């Protein structure tokens, strides 16, 4: 890190790119996540001018309440001194409050950028710091590691994750509405307990989903059945529930993305993607994406100002 001073100093600068994510993927509630080819971008600089300066593109505050700034502060605190001055530019392309991991992306971007400015490239450390802010590891694991991730919380309350490479040919199609959904409200719709038969069925489907996404995509339709959270969340988004029903009636493996309201189709080829596109309605616009395999990336450069 370049020490701050009262004069003109060369600035250390990092550029961070972080993908959108879809958590749960149907039965993998609070455990599975998939990184998607839609990205937020952050430029973070240590400055000789005291204070925080933010230029945000998208719906975000420009003071210390900014989630990226809070995450960067947490990253600096965990790895070294806070800089005297900090400048950031953040382009938020991931739609907010749509079930595509916008909060996780902001947190992962800030944490990764701060660690890099302190000379640290450690995704496991970034996962722990990000988890302290997000409290659910599914989206942040996928955002940091890319691909398909299985995340869990250990016995001492620390997050862990395993990254797997999805099978080639899987085509994610996100149906993204204009309306937003509160994650807290959506989680509040969940019951405190579910029937044992539903939990057992979901355990089997979740295991099958890992196999389907990594080596046997033809099983994706059966693997994406869920009884733990979607039946309780979908009544609050009737248009999404109707779209999900249409997709699955046509044999398309489709799920509620995260807590919604986005619906995600995990199409097995371009022909199935075309079928899915043809079923869009009710304010849900299809957006064909790729599976991101790299996760959060960071490059550093110095410049004088």
């Amino acid at each position: 890190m370049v020490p701050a001073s009262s004069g003109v100093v060369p600035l250390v600068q990092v550029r961070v790119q972080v993908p959108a994510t879809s958590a749960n993927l149907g039965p993998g509630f609070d455990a599975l996540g998939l990184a998607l080819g839609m990205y937020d971008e952050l430029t973070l600089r240590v400055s000789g001018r005291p204070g925080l300066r933010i230029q945000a593109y998208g719906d975000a505050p420009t003071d210390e309440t900014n989630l990226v700034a809070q995450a960067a502060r947490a990253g600096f605190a965990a790895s070294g001194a806070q800089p005297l001055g900090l400048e950031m530019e953040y382009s938020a392309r991931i739609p907010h409050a749509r079930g595509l991991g916008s909060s996780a992306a902001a947190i992962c971007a800030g944490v990764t950028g701060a660690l890099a400015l302190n000379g640290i490239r450690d995704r496991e450390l970034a996962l722990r710091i990000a988890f302290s802010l997000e409290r659910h590891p599914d989206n942040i694991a996928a955002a940091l590691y890319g691909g398909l991730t299985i995340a869990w919380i250990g016995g001492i309350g620390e997050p862990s994750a395993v990254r797997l490479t999805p099978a080639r040919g899987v085509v994610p199609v996100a149906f993204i509405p204009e309306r937003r959904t509160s994650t807290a409200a959506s989680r509040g719709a969940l019951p405190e307990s579910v029937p044992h038969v539903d939990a057992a069925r979901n355990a089997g489907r979740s295991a099958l989903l890992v196999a389907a996404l990594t080596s046997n995509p033809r099983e994706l339709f059966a693997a994406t059945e869920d009884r733990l959270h979607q039946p309780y969340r979908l009544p609050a988004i009737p248009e999404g529930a109707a779209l999900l029903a249409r997709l699955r009636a046509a044999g398309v493996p489709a799920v509620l993305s995260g807590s919604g309201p986005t619906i995600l189709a995990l199409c097995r080829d371009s022909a199935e993607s075309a079928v899915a596109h043809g079923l869009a309605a009710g304010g849900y616009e299809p957006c064909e994406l790729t599976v991101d395999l790299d996760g959060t990336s960071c490059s550093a450069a110095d410049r004088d100002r």
Side-chain angles (χ1 to χ4, degrees), residues 21 103-105 107-108 126-146 149 151 159 296:
T21 53
S103 295
I107 290 170
C108 291
L127 179 66
R128 292 196 297 272
I129 299 169
F131 176 71
S132 71
L133 300 171
E134 177 77 353
R135 304 314 302 172
H136 296 285
D138 44 10
N139 283 110
I140 56 176
L144 286 170
Y145 291 98
T149 55
T296 301

Side-chain angles (χ1 to χ4, degrees), residues 158-178:
E158 292 286 350
S160 296
V162 170
R163 181 198 179 279
L164 301 172
T165 300
R168 295 179 63 181
V170 174
V171 182
V173 179
F175 294 82
I176 308 171
E178 286 296 322

